[in-house]
Amino acid sequence: MSRPSELTRHSLIEEAINVFAAKGFAGGSVRAITKKAKANQAAINYHFGSKEGLYREVLKVSIEAFSEKTLLHAGTVENLPREEAVRLFVRQQLQPLLSNSRVSRYVRIFAWETLSPSRVFQDYVASEQVPMLVLAEKIVRRYAPADASREEIMVKAIWLANQSGAFVRNFASLSRPPVSLSVDQGFVERLIDTIAALAIAALSAPSPRERSQRGEG
Amino acid sequence: MSRPSELTRHSLIEEAINVFAAKGFAGGSVRAITKKAKANQAAINYHFGSKEGLYREVLKVSIEAFSEKTLLHAGTVENLPREEAVRLFVRQQLQPLLSNSRVSRYVRIFAWETLSPSRVFQDYVASEQVPMLVLAEKIVRRYAPADASREEIMVKAIWLANQSGAFVRNFASLSRPPVSLSVDQGFVERLIDTIAALAIAALSAPSPRERSQRGEG
DNA sequence: TTGGAATTGAAACGGCAGTTTGGACCGAAT
DNA sequence: ATTCGGTCCAAACTGCCGTTTCAATTCCAA
């Protein structure tokens, strides 16, 4: 593959990350992507086979980069106090909100997928492990008793993975009525503290099953 | 307005609720709605002015019915133990999941809106109060100290309102890999208990601000 | 019963979507 | 210098979308 073709390929992926982060897979058009990437409309089909093929590449890049370049890795989660792991987990999703960093775009892409998963994403999570859910599961297990059911673990993992989602998705509308909050760096920091504290308190409490086992139900 | 025209109007709204609940506003087409309602494609524009006009009507019907026909009203929330209010709040969103009731369709429409709000919905929440957020705010206030900031209240209200959202949105994928849970009535009951317990424990804990005021930060 | 308004109907319009086409271009090997 | 595979481009294709048109029909009051 020659130099100029790789440049086209690369800038297509780059702009696709921007467009899909802003509008989701269904809402992002190939025309918008090729226009921003200064490429021809046919380029996506030529290089990636289809819009779905391009998105598959975007997801691969995003998921790999997200799990490598972020605060919390699957390896480090075991070596932290469990409260600190929760805080970092929340932080790595909310902190990028105010920035235009690469990571913030990955987080937004994942937020779109948690709302209405694309076929590409569904295929991906069915075959390969999704770092965010794996992380959430690891953290939840550190709070759960040894005899917790898989159902309870998975439910809590899904719950934890989605604790920040509402704010990521609706970040723009937080500053508009009827919420009308002033959204700045300080707000995001307080938001991280609040959500992390809520999650920690929730996970620390005994589950309904544990309470009923102790005759407290 | 004559009888048959009202019949067309009514069945259009009825089928629109089904279609929008299944596919969201953007994903639901007027062709699908008019076909199911056995009406002409032009009927929507004739009776409601536009697709948006129909959706405005659907939202109005859904929000009114949801706040009237559900377990928890703005009036009753003050007269219950606050833990019970949380449980009912969670229950009224999760219990309809397994059924095909009207309410389940309303919940699904709201779930679509929390993911990517339509212009119609944004206009609605900017002008009229949304029952679900009002309820969440009332419940949060019962847990918050008297001097809690509006920011903290609103953040926690948004948080509470979205506690069930992940499961409503991804309900269908819970039974598929990699989650692979068996989803039946018993599961939904346990899910309600688990989520409600998590939310109650979270709200009951002192916020980071309170802890730092006590010198525990 | 009749006249006019309300409603329905089939078809077309204009726009945007993803994709395909076929030729132009280019760089490197023959 | 020519050939050839890889790449790029403008344009067109197909399909779905929401909307509009306008004639046909239905309804109801006069």
Side-chain angles (χ1 to χ4, degrees):
Chain A
M1 188 175 298
S2 68
R3 187 62 44 82
S5 82
E6 276 195 7
L7 211 147
T8 302
R9 229 187 102 93
H10 180 263
S11 63
L12 278 176
I13 293 180
E14 203 65 13
E15 295 301 335
I17 290 175
N18 292 335
V19 171
F20 288 143
K23 306 200 162 192
F25 173 65
S29 72
V30 301
R31 281 175 170 81
I33 295 168
T34 52
K35 186 176 177 183
K36 286 211 171 190
K38 298 191 204 309
N40 190 266
Q41 283 186 30
I44 286 177
N45 297 80
Y46 179 78
H47 284 281
F48 304 96
S50 65
K51 183 191 181 186
E52 284 201 350
L54 170 60
Y55 191 59
R56 206 168 294 124
E57 206 62 29
V58 165
L59 275 185
K60 191 164 149 255
V61 168
S62 302
I63 291 176
E64 282 174 2
F66 185 78
S67 55
E68 284 169 12
K69 296 187 189 167
T70 47
L71 308 164
L72 192 62
H73 308 69
T76 66
V77 65
E78 311 286 359
N79 304 325
L80 291 168
R82 56 185 196 178
E83 286 78 13
E84 197 54 32
V86 174
R87 282 195 203 95
L88 281 179
F89 185 78
V90 171
R91 176 174 291 277
Q92 82 180 3
Q93 291 174 65
L94 290 179
Q95 188 165 265
L97 277 182
L98 276 182
S99 73
N100 267 0
S101 66
R102 298 280 305 229
V103 181
S104 77
R105 277 160 231 160
Y106 304 151
V107 170
R108 277 177 226 271
I109 289 177
F110 303 150
W112 279 103
E113 288 297 342
T114 53
L115 70 84
S116 92
S118 64
R119 227 170 50 82
V120 176
F121 186 77
Q122 287 183 39
D123 292 349
Y124 194 101
V125 301
S127 60
E128 319 213 18
Q129 290 193 324
V130 184
M132 200 147 77
L133 197 58
V134 172
L135 274 182
E137 190 182 330
K138 278 183 194 291
I139 294 173
V140 166
R141 280 191 193 280
R142 302 214 23 211
Y143 281 89
D147 64 337
S149 67
R150 196 182 107 84
E151 177 184 289
E152 187 180 332
I153 299 284
M154 294 308 288
V155 163
K156 287 188 175 178
I158 294 170
W159 174 86
L160 176 60
N162 283 277
Q163 286 303 290
S164 312
F167 298 95
V168 176
R169 284 191 298 271
N170 300 316
F171 191 67
S173 66
L174 290 179
S175 56
R176 296 198 299 266
V179 183
S180 308
L181 295 178
S182 86
V183 170
D184 52 16
Q185 186 62 46
F187 169 77
V188 173
E189 284 300 325
R190 290 192 297 277
L191 180 63
I192 292 170
D193 286 345
T194 302
I195 303 302
L198 289 169
I200 289 169
L203 289 175
S204 301
S207 70
R209 186 188 47 79
E210 289 174 75
R211 293 183 56 197
S212 68
Q213 276 179 352
R214 296 199 217 128
E216 300 173 34
Chain B
M1 189 174 297
S2 67
R3 187 63 44 82
S5 81
E6 276 195 6
L7 211 148
T8 302
R9 230 187 99 93
H10 180 264
S11 63
L12 279 176
I13 292 179
E14 204 65 11
E15 295 300 335
I17 289 175
N18 292 335
V19 171
F20 288 144
K23 306 200 162 191
F25 173 66
S29 74
V30 301
R31 280 174 170 82
I33 295 168
T34 52
K35 185 177 179 182
K36 286 212 171 192
K38 298 191 205 308
N40 190 266
Q41 284 186 28
I44 285 177
N45 298 81
Y46 178 77
H47 285 282
F48 304 95
S50 64
K51 183 191 181 186
E52 284 201 350
L54 170 60
Y55 190 58
R56 207 169 293 124
E57 206 62 28
V58 165
L59 275 185
K60 192 166 149 251
V61 168
S62 302
I63 290 176
E64 282 174 2
F66 184 77
S67 54
E68 284 169 11
K69 296 187 189 167
T70 46
L71 308 164
L72 193 62
H73 308 70
T76 67
V77 64
E78 311 286 359
N79 305 324
L80 290 168
R82 58 186 195 177
E83 285 78 13
E84 197 53 33
V86 173
R87 283 195 202 95
L88 281 178
F89 184 77
V90 171
R91 175 174 292 277
Q92 82 180 4
Q93 292 173 65
L94 290 178
Q95 189 165 265
L97 278 182
L98 275 183
S99 74
N100 268 0
S101 66
R102 299 281 304 231
V103 181
S104 76
R105 276 159 232 161
Y106 304 152
V107 171
R108 277 176 226 272
I109 288 177
F110 303 150
W112 279 103
E113 288 296 343
T114 53
L115 69 83
S116 94
S118 64
R119 228 169 50 82
V120 176
F121 186 77
Q122 287 183 40
D123 292 348
Y124 194 102
V125 300
S127 60
E128 319 213 19
Q129 292 192 323
V130 183
M132 200 149 77
L133 198 58
V134 172
L135 274 181
E137 188 181 332
K138 278 183 194 292
I139 294 173
V140 166
R141 280 191 194 280
R142 300 209 30 207
Y143 281 91
D147 64 338
S149 67
R150 197 183 106 83
E151 177 183 289
E152 187 179 332
I153 298 285
M154 294 308 287
V155 163
K156 287 188 175 178
I158 293 171
W159 174 86
L160 176 60
N162 282 277
Q163 286 304 289
S164 311
F167 298 94
V168 176
R169 285 191 299 271
N170 301 316
F171 191 67
S173 65
L174 290 180
S175 56
R176 296 198 299 265
V179 183
S180 307
L181 295 178
S182 85
V183 169
D184 52 15
Q185 186 62 46
F187 169 77
V188 173
E189 285 299 325
R190 291 192 297 276
L191 180 62
I192 292 169
D193 287 343
T194 302
I195 304 300
L198 289 170
I200 290 170
L203 289 175
S204 300
S207 69
R209 187 188 47 78
E210 290 173 76
R211 293 182 56 198
S212 68
Q213 277 178 354
R214 297 201 217 130
E216 299 173 36

